[in-house]
Amino acid sequence: MNDRIRVPEVRLVGPAGEQVGIVKIETALQLATDSELDLVEVAPMARPPVAKLMDYGKFKYENAQKARDSRRNQTNTIIKEMKLRPKIDVHDYETKKGHVVRFLKGGDKVKITIMFRGREQSRPELGYNLLKKLSADVDEFGFVESSPKQDGRNMIMVLGPHKKKTEAKVDIAAEREARMAARAENAAADEQAAAEQRAQHAAQPSAPRRRGPADNMDPDIDV
């Protein structure tokens, strides 16, 4: 950059990307000084090297901002894990399946592990059939990324989400907003119904009060 460029001439590019042509290094440096810009070598291996007039400090700042924004918008795929037993009961299966669906809808991968114990190790088909059933039950939200395979006492399968993490976040936010709008609408409807009920009650004529024995008593009598 600037006086650190040790070549007799450069192919100069202007600040807007325009081609100036091949000029002596002294001329290029003078142009940089007159424009209050830096002369930056952008292609040192070219013959002659290519140098550009730019605000190098601003260039570094904008690149740092872009890198920061890129890291902020980057979404890392998380692998969740769900463990099942080969002879899992229906209720537990439905509960764990619900968790798997939630993970997939959130854009996460899910590692399904079937744990064999004792004599169950001699019946690997139980685990395979269970994994096959689970993948079929959640195929609306994910797909089999890694087919079932035996890993020691366990059998493992990996499910991948149909939607990317960013798309899943947008869908989840939309669903949340829809639920909030529905709750607000229901609350408004309940309030309107209550107001109408109060108005109807207020419009009804009040029944005459029935006289009782106390109404015929002399108020001057001390009871």
Side-chain angles (χ1 to χ4, degrees), residues 6-61:
R6 304 296 187 185
V7 292
E9 58 185 15
V10 295
R11 185 180 297 277
L12 186 62
V13 179
E18 68 276 16
Q19 296 290 331
V20 178
I22 299 175
V23 299
K24 293 185 178 300
I25 188 62
E26 294 82 7
T27 302
L29 289 171
Q30 187 61 48
L31 288 173
T33 301
D34 295 342
S35 304
E36 296 184 349
L37 296 173
D38 297 301
L39 181 67
V40 181
E41 200 174 47
V42 295
M45 303 306 295
R47 290 293 179 267
V50 180
K52 183 177 181 180
L53 295 173
M54 67 171 71
D55 185 339
Y56 189 65
K58 181 180 178 182
F59 172 76
K60 287 180 65 178
Y61 174 77

Side-chain angles (χ1 to χ4, degrees), residues 22 28 59 62 73 85 109 130-131 138 142-143 196 201 207:
I22 299 175
F59 172 76
E62 290 177 348
N73 296 328
R85 295 293 308 281
K109 296 182 180 182
L130 181 58
L131 292 176
V138 302
F143 62 95
E196 292 176 354
H201 181 73

Side-chain angles (χ1 to χ4, degrees), residues 61-72:
Y61 174 77
E62 290 177 348
N63 274 6
Q65 285 289 97
K66 290 178 181 179
R68 192 157 40 244
D69 293 340
S70 178
R71 288 193 299 269
R72 186 183 300 116

Side-chain angles (χ1 to χ4, degrees), residues 10-176:
V10 295
R11 185 180 297 277
L12 186 62
V13 179
E18 68 276 16
Q19 296 290 331
V20 178
I22 299 175
V23 299
K24 293 185 178 300
I25 188 62
E26 294 82 7
T27 302
L29 289 171
Q30 187 61 48
L31 288 173
T33 301
D34 295 342
S35 304
E36 296 184 349
L37 296 173
D38 297 301
L39 181 67
V40 181
E41 200 174 47
V42 295
M45 303 306 295
R47 290 293 179 267
V50 180
K52 183 177 181 180
L53 295 173
M54 67 171 71
D55 185 339
Y56 189 65
K58 181 180 178 182
F59 172 76
K60 287 180 65 178
Y61 174 77
E62 290 177 348
N63 274 6
Q65 285 289 97
K66 290 178 181 179
R68 192 157 40 244
D69 293 340
S70 178
R71 288 193 299 269
R72 186 183 300 116
N73 296 328
Q74 184 179 9
T75 54
N76 297 323
T77 301
I78 299 175
I79 298 181
K80 304 287 188 176
E81 185 173 12
M82 186 60 58
K83 296 181 178 181
L84 295 81
R85 295 293 308 281
K87 297 180 180 179
I88 187 171
D89 62 53
V90 176
H91 176 74
D92 286 346
Y93 173 80
E94 291 298 327
T95 300
K96 290 182 180 292
K97 184 183 75 174
H99 292 318
V100 173
V101 169
R102 178 165 55 85
F103 294 149
L104 293 173
K105 289 177 68 175
D108 296 319
K109 296 182 180 182
V110 188
K111 175 183 176 183
I112 311 297
T113 302
I114 305 294
M115 301 180 297
F116 295 95
R117 293 180 182 175
R119 296 181 180 179
E120 293 174 346
Q121 298 180 56
S122 62
R123 300 285 305 280
E125 68 277 5
L126 294 177
Y128 179 82
N129 292 336
L130 181 58
L131 292 176
K132 186 176 179 181
K133 170 179 171 56
L134 180 60
S135 62
D137 288 345
V138 302
D139 63 349
E140 179 182 353
F141 309 100
F143 62 95
V144 178
E145 185 174 286
S146 178
S147 300
K149 61 181 180 181
Q150 196 76 27
D151 183 17
R153 295 184 177 182
N154 301 327
M155 183 174 288
I156 296 173
M157 176 180 72
V158 177
L159 297 174
H162 287 312
K163 295 181 179 179
K164 295 181 179 179
K165 190 78 171 180
T166 50
E167 297 173 348
K169 285 185 176 180
V170 171
D171 290 345
I172 292 173
E175 290 178 3
R176 185 183 301 112

